[in-house]
Amino acid sequence: MSSSSPVVVVTGANGLVGAAVCRALVQRSAQVRAVVRRAGTAPALAGVVEHVGDFADEAFAATLVSGADAVVTTVHPMGSPRDVQHRVAVEGTPVLARAARDAGVARFVHLSTAGVHDRSAGVGDIAEDGPLLPEGSGDYPDTKYATDVALAEVGGLTTVLVRPPAIMGAGETSVWNTLRPEEARTGARRENPARSWAWVHVEDLAALVADLATGAIATAEDPEQGPVAGGTTAVLVAGEPATWGDYLGTVTDALGVEPEWTDEPVWTGQLRTDRARRWGWTPRVDLARALEELRQGLTRG
């Protein structure tokens, strides 16, 4: 990076992941341009400056990336109609990527998802070259992968596609600590307890993203050693092995409801994080802590 205090643009800075990334960047002495759609929603942290607007607007995007060292994109309107997901992510995110390339930004770090990989029964462990879901698997995986492809087509930019599975962490908008448990409370609690439940804590995810954005993880010719300069490199990130019995069992126990366990064939493999670990990343939040945080959040209310 160009200085000891790199300038990093973060989209979706008011979200669970975006806010955690902002915190991690500030801890690394970065200056953060926090992009949000509503004024007053960016994290109130020293070194964080709020920028309100639509990053898919070319003029606004150019302003955001001017003089920046890195860009982190976390926005994807999961749960929205497919056309909205396509417009915001598949069409909008590359606008910012092209602006970053044209401005000479060193790194473009995009929050992808491990959900683009096929985790059907019998697939086994999955690394970055693992099988992908076919087109038509769902609005979310379809549009997430289409965004990855669109970003890879923006030449001349060092792009990293960070692919997490279920992201744990307390927050009103947290899918796995708040929204999924609420669904379980009202009846969505049928699952095979042996099915692998791949997860990562938001703090560990943010640490990897921040290290990538600040250049703490150097580029390399071999993607197993670091992001490829001028290319697009995917990296899986996940915590220790767990099952749906661990996750849904904790949720239902905390809520005082009964799970509906099944025994159909399910995926029992793991996400391989060898690449991330060779890059120097090590998760600090273990399964016990993540599940206890989940339990406390559900019983506190």
Side-chain angles (χ1 to χ4, degrees):
M1 290 298 171
S2 60
S3 73
S4 59
S5 183
V7 176
V8 182
V9 177
V10 179
T11 70
N14 58 330
L16 178 72
V17 176
V21 169
C22 288
R23 293 192 296 270
L25 287 168
V26 168
Q27 292 169 359
R28 290 159 175 76
S29 301
Q31 298 297 308
V32 181
R33 296 174 184 173
V35 185
V36 295
R37 294 297 298 269
R38 293 178 291 109
T41 59
L45 299 169
V48 174
V49 177
E50 183 177 82
H51 293 259
V52 182
D54 181 1
F55 59 78
D57 177 86
E58 292 184 357
F60 182 59
T63 299
L64 287 173
V65 301
S66 178
D69 295 287
V71 174
V72 175
T73 57
T74 73
V75 175
H76 192 105
M78 181 173 62
S80 297
R82 187 185 182 101
D83 64 321
V84 175
Q85 294 188 52
H86 190 276
R87 174 173 54 80
V88 173
V90 184
E91 297 177 1
T93 308
V95 172
L96 189 59
R98 288 190 290 270
R101 175 200 59 196
D102 295 346
V105 170
R107 296 278 181 94
F108 193 91
V109 185
H110 174 64
L111 195 75
S112 179
T113 176
V116 301
H117 288 283
D118 182 3
R119 288 182 280 177
S120 302
V123 167
D125 291 350
I126 296 170
E128 285 79 10
D129 61 352
L132 298 169
L133 286 172
E135 174 73 20
S137 296
D139 294 346
Y140 180 68
D142 285 356
T143 54
K144 286 295 283 188
Y145 184 64
T147 304
D148 290 357
V149 172
L151 290 175
E153 292 174 348
V154 179
L157 183 64
T158 301
T159 300
V160 185
L161 307 175
V162 180
R163 290 180 172 166
I167 301 172
M168 295 291 285
E172 291 184 3
T173 62
S174 174
V175 171
W176 294 93
N177 284 55
T178 304
L179 304 182
R180 282 292 184 93
E182 186 56 34
E183 293 176 359
R185 186 194 303 273
T186 58
R189 45 183 183 268
R190 179 180 174 82
E191 185 58 69
N192 185 328
R195 180 184 171 196
S196 293
W197 179 69
W199 69 283
V200 68
H201 196 275
V202 68
E203 293 177 7
D204 288 328
L205 173 60
L208 174 63
V209 170
D211 283 346
L212 285 164
T214 57
I217 298 174
T219 57
E221 294 184 1
D222 180 358
E224 297 305 321
Q225 303 304 318
V228 176
T232 300
T233 309
V235 60
L236 287 167
V237 54
E240 64 185 287
T243 66
W244 272 86
D246 296 319
Y247 173 74
L248 189 56
T250 299
V251 169
T252 53
D253 183 64
L255 295 178
V257 297
E258 290 296 323
E260 301 173 26
W261 299 129
T262 64
D263 61 359
E264 74 279 6
V266 290
W267 180 62
T268 57
Q270 301 298 327
L271 294 182
R272 298 292 301 273
T273 60
D274 306 66
R275 176 173 291 181
R277 290 172 184 272
R278 279 191 287 268
W279 290 6
W281 176 80
T282 302
R284 298 182 181 276
V285 180
D286 62 16
L287 181 63
R289 176 183 155 188
L291 293 180
E292 182 57 27
E293 181 182 57
L294 170 65
R295 182 186 299 277
Q296 289 182 4
L298 296 175
T299 56
R300 189 177 297 123

